[in-house]
Amino acid sequence: MKKVCCLIIFFLFARTYTNAQGCVAIRSTGSSCAIQQPGEDSTGWVFNANYRYFKSFRHFKGHEEQKERLVQNTEVINYTNSLDLSITRKINNRWSVNVNFPLLATTRSSLYEHGLVNGTYVKKERHNTQSFGLGDIRLAAYHWLTDPEKHSKLNIQAGLGIKFATGDYNYKDYWYNVGPGGSKELRTVDQSMQLGDGGTGFTTEINMYYMPTRLLSFYANTYYLVNPRNTNGTRTYRETLSPAIANEDIMSVPDQYMARVGASYNFSALPGFSLGAGGRIEGIPVYDLVGKSDAFRRPGYVISAEPAISYTTKKASWYLNLPIAVSRNRTQSVTDKEMSKLTGTYRQGDAAFADYSINLGCAIKF
């Protein structure tokens, strides 16, 4: 059986944090797992490194793009880099455990955070805020539902994990023109840039492959992060921007989801090389599955077409995925609904999304 690579991306994330991508705070969901071949060693170690980059700058309310933001030069731009480092221990040919360490670096360029006080610009200047460091570590266990050696054409893998609140969720940098006399002030960076979400979460995953021929394979992956914590106590300072968003002064701890489906073709004339094509959806829900969904979040999702190329040897594999956004939606949040009911006027916040993301990685077996 040819090797099949199934990407377990959280990104969003990322997440990242990401990241769908951008101001909707999709955080990293992990990296890549290589499906085991019959005849391979049933035990061993796999090291994986997955790098993700995207630039979010297109603002959406619902499905509608706010194109005037680019014309007026008022768009918010996030440059997001994430590096997921993970170690997988294969216990036998059906069980494995994985620990994932995300490293995150984001630069945010904006106008409104640097001089907007109570809805009025004291000074209209574009400045940057930055964040860098370790994100939320995740530990997960995986189990093939049937023996891969006996069921080489079709199999399903289930995974359960725990996400620890190791990432700084109160990361700070300087906001300009907001202090006394227009001075700069050390404040928390935007939710989309925070290294963690402040909650201990639980992850569920389903990964499936089907190989009707020696060269053609199909895959499907789903991931959901349950975050029971309601809010993390981190101040957003949004109430200083406009009294109309005073209910968004604290950050929410949202759930997160991702799903992928597609196909991969292995070239007999080029051993080890394969091309893939598929689709993916990733996002933040309006309401969490468990617990309350109060305070500030930017719910929404992005649907992407996902071409991919990979090269696999006996001990290693390299891959490049390029999700390209085909649909972006910033949905109405709980706080939007609260203000709409209170004022009698429909309200829906916006979010910035990327056109595409770059996912580049490798997996090495020991």
Side-chain angles (χ1 to χ4, degrees):
M1 183 180 80
K2 294 288 184 180
K3 289 184 175 65
V4 182
C5 286
C6 55
L7 291 180
I8 308 175
I9 305 291
F10 284 3
F11 211 170
L12 27 190
F13 24 118
R15 347 299 27 242
T16 314
Y17 286 50
T18 94
N19 286 174
Q21 308 140 345
C23 290
V24 176
I26 298 296
R27 287 167 170 79
S28 173
T29 54
S31 44
S32 173
C33 68
I35 291 179
Q36 207 168 288
Q37 283 185 277
E40 284 189 294
D41 293 337
S42 60
T43 62
W45 297 87
V46 179
F47 169 76
N48 183 271
N50 182 83
Y51 169 73
R52 188 184 195 195
Y53 167 81
F54 60 82
K55 170 189 172 184
S56 63
F57 65 102
R58 296 191 184 276
H59 286 256
F60 283 79
K61 282 188 178 182
H63 288 287
E64 184 178 352
E65 182 180 358
Q66 298 176 291
K67 297 181 180 180
E68 69 277 6
R69 297 290 294 271
L70 295 176
V71 175
Q72 298 167 0
N73 194 35
T74 61
E75 77 276 18
V76 176
I77 308 171
N78 274 23
Y79 302 91
T80 302
N81 298 269
S82 65
L83 177 64
D84 279 284
L85 303 176
S86 67
I87 293 289
T88 299
R89 171 62 176 175
K90 295 188 292 182
I91 300 171
N92 52 46
N93 69 340
R94 296 181 68 174
W95 283 97
S96 61
V97 293
N98 173 276
V99 59
N100 181 74
F101 303 89
L103 299 174
L104 308 160
T106 304
T107 298
R108 179 180 177 87
S109 171
S110 74
L111 281 172
Y112 80 90
E113 290 164 323
H114 306 286
L116 185 64
V117 179
N118 292 328
T120 302
Y121 276 107
V122 176
K123 223 178 212 185
K124 200 168 186 179
E125 292 180 345
R126 181 174 288 273
H127 289 280
N128 293 343
T129 50
Q130 296 179 321
S131 63
F132 173 78
L134 176 69
D136 288 345
I137 294 173
R138 184 164 62 96
L139 176 66
Y142 298 92
H143 178 66
W144 291 108
L145 300 188
T146 58
D147 189 334
E149 293 188 8
K150 297 179 180 179
H151 300 85
S152 60
K153 288 189 174 183
L154 172 65
N155 213 334
I156 299 174
Q157 183 188 59
L160 290 174
I162 182 171
K163 180 194 70 65
F164 302 97
T166 53
D168 189 350
Y169 54 92
N170 193 29
Y171 197 98
K172 296 180 180 179
D173 201 358
Y174 284 101
W175 293 30
Y176 291 81
N177 307 314
V178 294
S183 61
K184 64 182 182 181
E185 192 173 283
L186 190 63
R187 295 183 173 184
T188 51
V189 298
D190 186 77
Q191 187 180 49
S192 62
M193 299 175 62
Q194 293 294 335
L195 303 178
D197 58 29
T200 299
F202 304 92
T203 61
T204 61
E205 298 173 63
I206 297 292
N207 304 303
M208 183 181 72
Y209 71 88
Y210 171 57
M211 299 188 66
T213 71
R214 186 175 61 89
L215 300 178
L216 179 64
S217 60
F218 298 90
Y219 65 86
N221 316 128
T222 63
Y223 170 96
Y224 196 94
L225 167 64
V226 178
N227 259 328
R229 188 176 183 182
N230 185 21
T231 63
N232 60 20
T234 299
R235 187 180 176 186
T236 66
Y237 291 89
R238 291 179 65 80
E239 77 282 3
T240 68
L241 305 176
S242 171
I245 50 178
N247 61 342
E248 297 183 347
D249 60 332
I250 300 296
M251 293 186 189
S252 178
V253 184
D255 287 0
Q256 178 178 322
Y257 61 86
M258 185 274 292
R260 300 171 66 244
V261 64
S264 177
Y265 183 79
N266 299 286
F267 293 94
S268 56
L270 296 171
F273 281 96
S274 66
L275 284 179
R280 66 187 290 153
I281 179 172
E282 53 189 323
I284 295 289
V286 177
Y287 297 102
D288 294 341
L289 283 181
V290 179
K292 296 182 179 180
S293 310
D294 298 328
F296 176 64
R297 72 173 68 184
R298 296 185 185 96
Y301 61 85
V302 58
I303 299 174
S304 303
E306 187 176 30
I309 185 171
S310 66
Y311 175 68
T312 303
T313 64
K314 185 176 181 180
K315 291 292 184 180
S317 61
W318 292 263
Y319 53 87
L320 172 65
N321 289 47
L322 190 68
I324 301 169
V326 296
S327 178
R328 289 158 281 198
N329 185 5
R330 201 296 203 180
T331 51
Q332 191 184 31
S333 67
V334 170
T335 51
D336 289 335
K337 294 178 181 181
E338 289 174 352
M339 293 306 297
S340 297
K341 184 177 180 180
L342 181 65
T343 63
T345 302
Y346 183 83
R347 181 186 183 275
Q348 183 168 0
D350 71 313
F353 292 81
D355 284 336
Y356 63 89
S357 66
I358 299 171
N359 297 284
L360 177 65
C362 67
I364 302 173
K365 300 177 184 179
F366 296 96

